[in-house]
Amino acid sequence: MNRHDLLTVLAATGTVAAGVAVAYMASNESHAAVQTSPAVRAVSPAPALPSTTGASLVVDAANAFLTTFSEKQKTVAQIDLTSSNAGRWSNFPAGVVPRNGVYFRDLNSDQTAAALKVARLALSSEGFSRFQETRATDDYFAKHDTGPGGPGGRRGGGPGGPPPGGFGGPGGPPPGGFGGPGGGPGGMTNLFGHGNYIIAFLGKPSKTTPWLLQLGGHHIAFNIYYKGEAGSATPYFVGVQPITWKDASGKTHTPLAPMHDAMHDLVNSLTQDQLAQARLSASFSDVYVGPGRDGQFPEREGAPVSELSDASKKLVKQAIAAWTGDTAQGAEYRKLYYAELNQTKVAYSGATALSDEGDYVRIDGPHVWIEFACQASDHYHTIWRDRVTDYGAEFSF
């Protein structure tokens, strides 16, 4: 079901307030009506995965975190490693599209500290900072969005702690708990805010057998796969709304500035001939290979990086680093992607200002796939995927 149909159904049943549905349908209407058919991934031996620094430390921290739960709660935090479970992430709020795992709103202070330790070890310092900044931005949005009832009215969900009932996960909540649309006090009050982000373990955290760590919520989705000391860090979705804001101390926050600026500078470094070659015929107000579209990569289009100036090639590398730098495997990914630059293309749609709805840039190579989409002037969506090793190449799509 597409976003429009989903929100229409939820609004009709009273699960989502009509105003919320209208706002989201307006801001997320797809303009990518025309696109070439997805490429089919060929059957081949399992690809090599990047080495993952500190993987054993992540396993130890994950298992320590799980010991803080009852056996019943563990069945929510840790679920089976399957393709359907792995693909259960979204760029919609968790109150609209439920996630795997446990919500931060349901954790006590010790459990929160243990969960954040897992995140800190699994991500680079930049990635952990982006995770926290994205959650803080959701708090700001919850507080300042002007729905019915004034700021934060229809879209509450910032700090507040867990209500009675506890956890909720795949298949809906236990009696009195969270887990899906309508959960929590006041029905759909928990759309936005740092507490509506999750941590989940697909498979048992292990130093030998495969498992997947998910960290996510409305505007972020890390899918970090481990198999011994190797692993992968994609798909990685990150978005932001608003794109800039000030906290109570007056500090300015711009969570996606490195990503936006890298893509903006790249597309504006192209010559007129290169821009003509890079321009896509389709238009986009969201990422194309987003949630629910695993493996659905189109054929490569755009201007070949091999024909760009040295300055533009440097900007391609800078853009790739903006996403890969959030992960513990970033150096390994960059080594691979930079070696494939001559087989990589840059494409765009909309305006090169990269400042309003429909402005869109992508980098597409044998492995690397990065998209930056402006949903509106104050709302960005981005995704980094690997054409070959999403979810550690554990599944076929």
Side-chain angles (χ1 to χ4, degrees):
M1 180 181 291
N2 64 33
R3 296 172 182 173
H4 183 283
D5 292 343
L6 172 63
L7 285 178
T8 300
V9 170
L10 292 176
T13 60
T15 306
V16 176
V20 174
V22 170
Y24 267 80
M25 285 187 280
S27 65
N28 289 288
E29 189 69 29
S30 174
H31 294 282
V34 180
Q35 183 68 10
T36 53
S37 300
V40 178
R41 182 182 296 174
V43 177
S44 60
L49 299 176
S51 61
T52 304
T53 303
S56 62
L57 297 177
V58 179
V59 172
D60 290 341
N63 284 319
F65 173 59
L66 288 169
T67 64
T68 68
F69 295 140
S70 68
E71 288 303 313
K72 182 178 181 180
Q73 291 167 342
K74 283 182 184 178
T75 65
V76 175
Q78 181 184 313
I79 61 176
D80 291 339
L81 178 59
T82 65
S83 59
S84 58
N85 283 339
R88 197 167 186 241
W89 54 274
S90 177
N91 56 18
F92 267 51
V96 177
V97 180
R99 306 302 202 272
N100 298 320
V102 293
Y103 291 92
F104 277 85
R105 70 191 180 212
D106 292 333
L107 304 181
N108 62 36
S109 59
D110 290 341
Q111 290 170 329
T112 297
L116 291 177
K117 181 178 180 179
V118 175
R120 194 185 298 273
L121 290 169
L123 304 170
S124 67
S125 60
E126 294 90 345
F128 182 74
S129 176
R130 188 114 41 223
F131 179 61
Q132 294 291 73
E133 281 277 289
T134 301
R135 296 171 69 214
T137 303
D138 234 30
D139 283 337
Y140 179 89
F141 185 67
K143 183 178 180 181
H144 293 87
D145 177 50
T146 53
R154 70 173 179 232
R155 298 179 177 180
F167 300 90
F178 280 95
M188 284 303 296
T189 60
N190 286 319
L191 284 175
F192 305 103
H194 75 268
N196 296 310
Y197 284 65
I198 61 91
I199 181 169
F201 307 95
L202 280 60
K204 178 176 173 55
S206 166
K207 296 179 182 179
T208 56
T209 57
W211 65 285
L212 183 75
L213 169 65
Q214 289 187 327
L215 297 161
H218 172 214
H219 263 156
I220 207 161
F222 284 106
N223 292 278
I224 307 171
Y225 175 90
Y226 295 91
K227 189 174 184 179
E229 292 295 321
S232 68
T234 62
Y236 169 31
F237 169 86
V238 62
V240 68
Q241 186 181 22
I243 63 173
T244 183
W245 57 280
K246 289 185 178 182
D247 62 25
S249 70
K251 178 182 177 181
T252 299
H253 298 260
T254 54
L256 297 195
M259 297 164 173
H260 170 272
D261 293 352
M263 289 297 228
H264 170 273
D265 292 350
L266 167 59
V267 74
N268 281 280
S269 75
L270 304 182
T271 67
Q272 290 302 310
D273 287 345
Q274 290 165 347
L275 284 171
Q277 194 172 12
R279 189 168 190 87
L280 296 164
S281 58
S283 58
F284 303 83
S285 63
D286 205 348
V287 295
Y288 183 71
V289 194
R293 295 184 61 83
D294 292 328
Q296 298 184 43
F297 298 100
E299 298 295 337
R300 279 197 291 280
E301 299 179 70
V305 175
S306 61
E307 298 177 8
L308 304 187
S309 68
D310 288 345
S312 292
K313 288 177 182 178
K314 184 177 180 180
L315 290 169
V316 174
K317 291 182 177 181
Q318 182 178 321
I320 289 171
W323 277 266
T324 59
D326 283 357
T327 71
Q329 304 96 332
E332 295 281 326
Y333 277 112
R334 288 191 292 278
K335 182 179 179 180
L336 171 63
Y337 296 167
Y338 294 175
E340 296 177 339
L341 280 187
N342 285 343
Q343 301 163 270
T344 300
K345 293 186 176 183
V346 174
Y348 83 103
S349 184
T352 60
L354 205 57
S355 62
D356 210 346
E357 181 179 1
D359 295 351
Y360 169 94
V361 182
R362 83 166 59 141
I363 297 173
D364 185 10
H367 282 80
V368 67
W369 171 272
I370 295 173
E371 298 178 80
F372 189 104
C374 292
Q375 289 223 295
S377 60
D378 70 337
H379 192 178
Y380 299 156
H381 280 184
T382 84
I383 195 164
W384 163 36
R385 286 184 179 266
D386 189 292
R387 281 177 170 266
V388 180
T389 62
D390 271 1
Y391 307 109
E394 180 76 15
F395 314 111
S396 297
F397 299 107

